[in-house]
Coordinates of all heavy atoms in Angstrom, one line a residue:
M1 N -36.8 113.7 -143.9 CA -36.0 112.7 -144.0 C -36.5 111.4 -143.2 O -36.8 111.6 -142.0 CB -34.6 113.1 -143.5 CG -33.5 112.0 -143.6 SD -32.0 112.7 -143.1 CE -31.6 111.6 -141.8
T2 N -36.6 110.3 -143.8 CA -36.9 109.0 -143.1 C -35.9 108.1 -143.3 O -35.0 108.1 -144.1 CB -38.2 108.6 -143.7 OG1 -37.9 108.2 -145.1 CG2 -39.4 109.5 -143.7
R3 N -35.7 107.3 -142.3 CA -34.9 106.2 -142.3 C -35.5 104.9 -142.1 O -36.6 104.7 -141.4 CB -33.6 106.4 -141.3 CG -34.2 106.6 -140.0 CD -33.2 106.8 -139.0 NE -33.6 106.6 -137.6 CZ -33.0 107.1 -136.6 NH1 -31.8 107.5 -136.6 NH2 -33.6 106.8 -135.3
R4 N -35.0 103.9 -142.9 CA -35.6 102.6 -142.7 C -35.0 101.7 -141.6 O -33.6 101.7 -141.6 CB -35.4 101.9 -144.1 CG -36.3 100.7 -144.4 CD -35.9 100.1 -145.8 NE -35.2 98.9 -145.5 CZ -34.3 98.5 -146.2 NH1 -34.0 99.0 -147.3 NH2 -33.7 97.2 -146.0
V5 N -35.7 101.1 -140.9 CA -35.2 100.3 -139.8 C -35.6 98.9 -140.2 O -36.9 98.5 -140.3 CB -35.9 100.7 -138.4 CG1 -35.4 99.8 -137.4 CG2 -35.6 102.2 -138.1
D6 N -34.6 97.9 -140.2 CA -34.9 96.6 -140.6 C -35.2 95.7 -139.4 O -35.8 94.6 -139.5 CB -33.6 96.0 -141.3 CG -33.4 96.6 -142.6 OD1 -34.4 97.0 -143.2 OD2 -32.3 96.7 -143.0
G7 N -34.9 96.2 -138.1 CA -35.1 95.2 -137.0 C -34.8 96.2 -135.7 O -34.6 97.3 -135.8
P8 N -35.0 95.5 -134.6 CA -34.8 96.2 -133.3 C -33.3 96.6 -133.3 O -32.4 96.1 -133.8 CB -35.1 95.2 -132.3 CG -35.0 93.9 -132.9 CD -35.3 94.0 -134.5
G9 N -33.0 97.7 -132.5 CA -31.6 98.2 -132.4 C -31.5 99.6 -132.9 O -32.4 100.0 -133.7
P10 N -30.4 100.1 -132.7 CA -30.0 101.4 -133.3 C -29.9 101.4 -134.8 O -29.5 100.5 -135.3 CB -28.8 101.8 -132.6 CG -28.1 100.5 -132.2 CD -29.2 99.6 -131.9
A11 N -30.4 102.5 -135.4 CA -30.3 102.5 -136.9 C -28.8 103.2 -137.1 O -28.4 104.2 -136.5 CB -31.3 103.5 -137.4
E12 N -28.2 102.6 -138.0 CA -26.8 103.1 -138.5 C -25.9 103.2 -137.3 O -24.9 104.1 -137.4 CB -26.9 104.4 -139.2 CG -27.9 104.4 -140.4 CD -28.1 105.8 -141.0 OE1 -27.5 106.8 -140.5 OE2 -28.9 105.9 -141.8
G13 N -26.0 102.4 -136.3 CA -25.0 102.3 -135.3 C -25.1 103.5 -134.2 O -24.3 103.6 -133.4
V14 N -26.2 104.3 -134.4 CA -26.2 105.6 -133.4 C -27.5 105.2 -132.4 O -28.4 104.7 -132.8 CB -26.6 106.7 -134.3 CG1 -27.0 107.9 -133.4 CG2 -25.6 107.1 -135.4
P15 N -27.0 105.3 -131.1 CA -28.1 105.1 -130.1 C -29.3 106.0 -130.3 O -29.2 107.1 -130.7 CB -27.4 105.3 -128.8 CG -26.1 106.0 -129.1 CD -25.8 105.9 -130.5
G16 N -30.5 105.4 -130.1 CA -31.8 106.1 -130.1 C -31.9 107.3 -129.0 O -31.1 107.3 -128.1
R17 N -32.9 108.0 -129.1 CA -33.2 109.0 -128.0 C -33.6 108.4 -126.7 O -33.2 108.9 -125.6 CB -34.3 109.9 -128.5 CG -33.8 110.7 -129.6 CD -34.9 111.8 -130.1 NE -34.4 112.6 -131.1 CZ -35.1 113.4 -131.9 NH1 -36.4 113.4 -131.5 NH2 -34.6 114.0 -132.9
G18 N -34.1 107.2 -126.7 CA -34.5 106.5 -125.6 C -33.3 106.1 -124.7 O -33.2 106.3 -123.5
V19 N -32.2 105.6 -125.4 CA -31.0 105.2 -124.7 C -30.3 106.5 -124.2 O -29.9 106.4 -123.1 CB -30.0 104.6 -125.7 CG1 -28.8 104.2 -125.1 CG2 -30.6 103.2 -126.1
I20 N -30.3 107.5 -125.0 CA -29.6 108.8 -124.5 C -30.3 109.4 -123.3 O -29.8 109.8 -122.2 CB -29.6 109.8 -125.7 CG1 -28.5 109.2 -126.6 CG2 -29.0 111.2 -125.2 CD1 -28.5 110.0 -127.9
G21 N -31.6 109.3 -123.4 CA -32.5 109.9 -122.3 C -32.4 109.0 -120.9 O -32.3 109.5 -119.9
A22 N -32.2 107.6 -121.2 CA -32.1 106.8 -120.0 C -30.7 107.1 -119.3 O -30.5 107.2 -118.2 CB -32.2 105.3 -120.4
A23 N -29.6 107.3 -120.1 CA -28.3 107.6 -119.7 C -28.3 109.0 -118.8 O -27.8 109.1 -117.9 CB -27.3 107.7 -120.8
A24 N -29.0 110.0 -119.5 CA -29.1 111.3 -118.8 C -30.0 111.2 -117.5 O -29.4 111.7 -116.5 CB -29.8 112.2 -119.7
G25 N -31.0 110.3 -117.5 CA -31.7 110.2 -116.3 C -30.8 109.5 -115.3 O -31.0 109.7 -114.0
M26 N -30.2 108.4 -115.6 CA -29.3 107.8 -114.6 C -28.2 108.7 -114.0 O -27.9 108.6 -112.9 CB -28.7 106.5 -115.3 CG -29.7 105.4 -115.4 SD -29.0 103.8 -116.0 CE -28.1 104.1 -117.3
A27 N -27.6 109.5 -114.9 CA -26.6 110.4 -114.4 C -27.3 111.4 -113.4 O -26.6 111.7 -112.4 CB -26.1 111.3 -115.7
L28 N -28.3 111.9 -113.8 CA -29.1 112.8 -112.8 C -29.4 112.1 -111.5 O -29.3 112.8 -110.4 CB -30.3 113.4 -113.5 CG -30.1 114.4 -114.5 CD1 -31.4 114.7 -115.2 CD2 -29.4 115.8 -114.0
G29 N -29.9 110.9 -111.6 CA -30.3 110.1 -110.5 C -29.0 109.9 -109.5 O -29.1 110.1 -108.3
F30 N -27.8 109.5 -110.2 CA -26.6 109.2 -109.3 C -26.1 110.6 -108.6 O -25.8 110.6 -107.5 CB -25.6 108.8 -110.2 CG -25.6 107.3 -110.3 CD1 -25.8 106.7 -111.6 CD2 -25.6 106.4 -109.3 CE1 -25.9 105.4 -111.8 CE2 -25.6 105.0 -109.4 CZ -25.9 104.5 -110.7
A31 N -26.3 111.7 -109.5 CA -25.9 113.0 -108.9 C -26.8 113.4 -107.7 O -26.3 113.8 -106.8 CB -25.9 114.1 -110.0
G32 N -28.1 113.2 -107.8 CA -29.0 113.4 -106.8 C -28.8 112.6 -105.6 O -28.8 113.1 -104.5
W33 N -28.5 111.4 -105.8 CA -28.3 110.4 -104.7 C -27.0 110.7 -104.0 O -27.0 110.8 -102.7 CB -28.3 109.0 -105.3 CG -28.3 107.9 -104.1 CD1 -27.1 107.2 -103.8 CD2 -29.4 107.4 -103.3 NE1 -27.4 106.4 -102.8 CE2 -28.8 106.6 -102.4 CE3 -30.6 107.8 -103.2 CZ2 -29.6 105.9 -101.5 CZ3 -31.5 107.1 -102.4 CH2 -31.0 106.2 -101.5
F34 N -25.9 110.8 -104.6 CA -24.6 110.9 -104.0 C -24.2 112.4 -103.7 O -23.5 112.5 -102.7 CB -23.6 110.3 -104.8 CG -23.6 108.8 -104.9 CD1 -24.1 108.1 -106.1 CD2 -23.5 107.9 -103.8 CE1 -24.2 106.8 -106.1 CE2 -23.7 106.5 -103.8 CZ -24.0 106.0 -105.1
G35 N -24.8 113.3 -104.4 CA -24.3 114.6 -104.2 C -25.4 115.6 -103.7 O -25.1 116.8 -103.4
G36 N -26.6 115.2 -103.5 CA -27.7 115.9 -103.2 C -28.2 116.9 -104.2 O -28.0 116.7 -105.5
F37 N -29.2 117.7 -103.8 CA -29.9 118.5 -104.8 C -29.1 119.5 -105.5 O -29.4 119.7 -106.8 CB -31.1 119.2 -104.1 CG -32.1 119.8 -105.0 CD1 -32.9 119.0 -105.8 CD2 -32.1 121.2 -105.2 CE1 -33.8 119.7 -106.7 CE2 -33.1 121.8 -105.9 CZ -33.8 121.1 -106.8
G38 N -28.1 120.0 -104.9 CA -27.2 121.0 -105.6 C -26.5 120.3 -106.8 O -26.4 120.9 -107.9
A39 N -25.9 119.1 -106.4 CA -25.3 118.3 -107.6 C -26.2 118.0 -108.7 O -25.9 118.0 -109.8 CB -24.6 117.1 -107.0
F40 N -27.5 117.7 -108.3 CA -28.5 117.3 -109.3 C -28.7 118.5 -110.2 O -28.8 118.4 -111.5 CB -29.8 117.0 -108.6 CG -31.0 116.8 -109.5 CD1 -31.1 115.6 -110.2 CD2 -31.9 117.8 -109.7 CE1 -32.3 115.4 -111.0 CE2 -33.0 117.7 -110.6 CZ -33.1 116.5 -111.2
L41 N -28.8 119.7 -109.7 CA -29.0 121.0 -110.5 C -27.7 121.2 -111.4 O -27.9 121.7 -112.6 CB -29.3 122.1 -109.6 CG -30.7 122.1 -109.0 CD1 -30.9 123.4 -108.0 CD2 -31.8 122.0 -109.9
V42 N -26.6 121.0 -110.8 CA -25.4 121.3 -111.7 C -25.3 120.3 -112.9 O -25.1 120.8 -114.0 CB -24.1 121.2 -110.8 CG1 -22.9 121.2 -111.6 CG2 -24.0 122.3 -109.8
V43 N -25.7 119.0 -112.6 CA -25.6 118.0 -113.7 C -26.7 118.3 -114.6 O -26.5 118.2 -115.9 CB -25.7 116.7 -113.2 CG1 -25.8 115.6 -114.3 CG2 -24.5 116.2 -112.2
A44 N -27.9 118.7 -114.3 CA -28.9 119.1 -115.3 C -28.6 120.3 -116.0 O -29.0 120.3 -117.2 CB -30.2 119.3 -114.4
A45 N -27.9 121.4 -115.4 CA -27.7 122.5 -116.2 C -26.6 122.2 -117.2 O -26.7 122.6 -118.3 CB -27.2 123.6 -115.2
L46 N -25.6 121.3 -116.9 CA -24.4 121.1 -117.6 C -25.0 120.2 -118.9 O -24.6 120.2 -120.1 CB -23.3 120.4 -117.0 CG -22.6 121.4 -116.1 CD1 -21.5 120.6 -115.3 CD2 -21.9 122.5 -116.8
G47 N -25.9 119.3 -118.5 CA -26.6 118.6 -119.5 C -27.3 119.2 -120.5 O -27.3 119.0 -121.8
A48 N -28.0 120.3 -120.1 CA -28.8 121.1 -120.8 C -27.9 121.9 -121.9 O -28.2 122.1 -123.0 CB -29.7 122.0 -120.2
L49 N -26.8 122.3 -121.3 CA -25.8 123.2 -122.2 C -25.2 122.2 -123.2 O -25.0 122.7 -124.3 CB -24.8 123.7 -121.1 CG -23.7 124.7 -121.8 CD1 -24.4 125.8 -122.4 CD2 -22.7 125.0 -120.8
G50 N -24.8 121.0 -122.8 CA -24.3 120.1 -123.7 C -25.3 119.7 -124.8 O -24.9 119.6 -126.1
W51 N -26.5 119.6 -124.5 CA -27.6 119.2 -125.5 C -27.7 120.4 -126.5 O -27.7 120.2 -127.8 CB -29.0 118.9 -124.8 CG -30.1 118.9 -125.9 CD1 -30.4 117.7 -126.5 CD2 -30.9 120.0 -126.4 NE1 -31.5 118.1 -127.4 CE2 -31.7 119.4 -127.3 CE3 -30.9 121.4 -126.1 CZ2 -32.6 120.2 -128.1 CZ3 -31.8 122.0 -126.7 CH2 -32.7 121.4 -127.7
F52 N -27.7 121.7 -125.9 CA -27.7 122.9 -126.8 C -26.6 122.9 -127.8 O -26.7 123.2 -129.0 CB -28.0 124.1 -125.8 CG -27.8 125.3 -126.7 CD1 -29.0 125.7 -127.4 CD2 -26.9 126.2 -126.8 CE1 -29.1 126.9 -128.2 CE2 -27.0 127.4 -127.4 CZ -28.0 127.7 -128.1
A53 N -25.4 122.6 -127.3 CA -24.2 122.7 -128.2 C -24.3 121.7 -129.2 O -24.0 122.0 -130.3 CB -23.0 122.6 -127.3
G54 N -24.7 120.4 -128.7 CA -24.7 119.4 -129.8 C -25.9 119.7 -130.8 O -25.8 119.4 -132.1
H55 N -27.0 120.4 -130.4 CA -28.0 120.7 -131.3 C -27.5 121.6 -132.3 O -27.8 121.6 -133.6 CB -29.2 121.3 -130.6 CG -30.3 121.7 -131.3 ND1 -31.1 120.7 -132.0 CD2 -30.9 122.9 -131.7 CE1 -32.1 121.3 -132.6 NE2 -31.9 122.6 -132.4
L56 N -26.7 122.7 -131.9 CA -26.2 123.7 -132.8 C -25.1 122.9 -133.8 O -25.2 123.2 -135.0 CB -25.4 124.7 -132.1 CG -26.2 125.8 -131.4 CD1 -25.3 126.7 -130.7 CD2 -27.2 126.5 -132.2
V57 N -24.5 122.0 -133.4 CA -23.4 121.3 -134.2 C -24.2 120.5 -135.3 O -23.9 120.4 -136.4 CB -22.5 120.5 -133.4 CG1 -21.6 119.6 -134.2 CG2 -21.5 121.3 -132.6
D58 N -25.3 119.8 -134.8 CA -26.0 119.0 -135.7 C -26.7 119.8 -136.8 O -26.8 119.3 -137.9 CB -27.2 118.2 -135.0 CG -26.6 117.0 -134.3 OD1 -25.5 116.6 -134.4 OD2 -27.4 116.5 -133.3
R59 N -27.1 121.0 -136.5 CA -27.8 121.8 -137.4 C -26.7 122.6 -138.4 O -27.1 123.2 -139.3 CB -28.7 122.9 -136.7 CG -29.8 122.2 -136.2 CD -30.8 123.3 -135.6 NE -30.6 124.7 -136.1 CZ -31.2 125.7 -135.7 NH1 -31.8 125.7 -134.4 NH2 -31.1 126.9 -136.3
G60 N -25.5 122.5 -138.0 CA -24.4 123.3 -138.7 C -24.4 124.8 -138.5 O -23.9 125.5 -139.4
T61 N -25.0 125.1 -137.4 CA -25.1 126.6 -137.0 C -23.9 127.0 -136.1 O -23.6 126.1 -135.1 CB -26.4 126.8 -136.4 OG1 -27.4 126.5 -137.2 CG2 -26.5 128.3 -136.1
G62 N -23.2 127.9 -136.4 CA -22.1 128.4 -135.5 C -22.7 129.2 -134.3 O -23.8 129.7 -134.5
L63 N -21.9 129.3 -133.3 CA -22.4 130.1 -132.2 C -22.6 131.5 -132.5 O -23.6 132.2 -132.1 CB -21.4 130.0 -131.0 CG -21.8 130.6 -129.7 CD1 -23.1 130.1 -129.2 CD2 -20.6 130.6 -128.7
R64 N -21.8 132.2 -133.3 CA -21.9 133.6 -133.7 C -23.1 133.7 -134.5 O -23.9 134.7 -134.3 CB -20.7 134.0 -134.5 CG -20.7 135.5 -135.1 CD -21.0 136.5 -133.9 NE -20.0 136.5 -132.9 CZ -20.2 137.2 -131.8 NH1 -21.3 137.9 -131.6 NH2 -19.2 137.1 -130.9
E65 N -23.4 132.8 -135.4 CA -24.6 133.0 -136.2 C -25.9 132.8 -135.4 O -26.9 133.6 -135.6 CB -24.6 131.8 -137.2 CG -25.7 131.8 -138.3 CD -25.6 130.7 -139.2 OE1 -24.5 130.0 -139.3 OE2 -26.6 130.4 -139.9
F66 N -25.7 131.9 -134.4 CA -26.9 131.8 -133.5 C -27.2 133.0 -132.6 O -28.3 133.5 -132.6 CB -26.7 130.5 -132.6 CG -27.9 130.5 -131.5 CD1 -29.0 130.0 -131.8 CD2 -27.5 130.8 -130.2 CE1 -30.0 129.9 -130.9 CE2 -28.5 130.7 -129.3 CZ -29.8 130.2 -129.6
L67 N -26.1 133.6 -132.1 CA -26.3 134.8 -131.3 C -26.7 135.9 -132.1 O -27.6 136.8 -131.7 CB -25.0 135.0 -130.6 CG -24.5 134.1 -129.5 CD1 -23.1 134.6 -129.0 CD2 -25.6 134.1 -128.5
D68 N -26.3 136.0 -133.3 CA -26.7 137.1 -134.3 C -28.2 137.1 -134.6 O -29.0 138.0 -134.6 CB -25.9 137.2 -135.6 CG -24.6 137.7 -135.4 OD1 -24.2 138.3 -134.3 OD2 -23.7 137.6 -136.3
S69 N -28.7 135.8 -134.7 CA -30.1 135.6 -135.0 C -31.0 135.9 -133.8 O -32.1 136.4 -133.9 CB -30.4 134.2 -135.3 OG -30.3 133.3 -134.3
L70 N -30.4 135.9 -132.6 CA -31.1 136.1 -131.3 C -31.3 137.7 -131.2 O -32.4 138.2 -130.8 CB -30.4 135.7 -130.1 CG -30.5 134.2 -129.7 CD1 -29.8 133.9 -128.4 CD2 -32.0 133.8 -129.6
V71 N -30.4 138.5 -131.6 CA -30.5 139.8 -131.6 C -31.1 140.6 -132.8 O -31.2 141.8 -132.8 CB -29.2 140.6 -131.2 CG1 -28.8 140.1 -129.7 CG2 -28.1 140.4 -132.1
G72 N -31.3 139.8 -133.8 CA -32.1 140.2 -135.0 C -31.0 140.7 -135.9 O -31.6 141.3 -136.9
R73 N -29.8 140.5 -135.9 CA -28.8 140.9 -136.9 C -28.7 140.0 -138.0 O -28.7 138.7 -137.6 CB -27.5 141.3 -136.3 CG -27.4 142.5 -135.4 CD -26.0 142.7 -135.0 NE -25.8 141.8 -133.9 CZ -24.5 141.8 -133.3 NH1 -23.5 142.5 -133.7 NH2 -24.5 141.0 -132.2
R74 N -28.6 140.3 -139.2 CA -28.4 139.4 -140.3 C -27.0 139.7 -140.9 O -26.6 140.7 -140.9 CB -29.4 139.7 -141.4 CG -30.8 139.4 -141.0 CD -31.3 138.0 -141.1 NE -32.5 137.9 -140.4 CZ -33.3 136.8 -140.7 NH1 -32.9 135.9 -141.5 NH2 -34.4 136.6 -140.1
P75 N -26.3 138.5 -141.3 CA -25.0 138.8 -141.8 C -24.9 139.3 -143.2 O -25.9 139.3 -143.8 CB -24.3 137.3 -141.8 CG -25.6 136.3 -141.7 CD -26.6 137.2 -141.0

């Protein structure tokens, strides 16, 4: 799937990966600065969990279907 970009800025009103990565980096930076290394790890772990959940939703995969594929069971 390709998308046509007419100019600078987000395509179809959706922020690009660079913007999302910058926001995640700033959140981790603030957590590390104000909360210390423990807060940095908590924010990083929750961010990874959120990314994973969003990835499943984007692919249209349910959690049960994903877990079944991990253990090798087919529906």
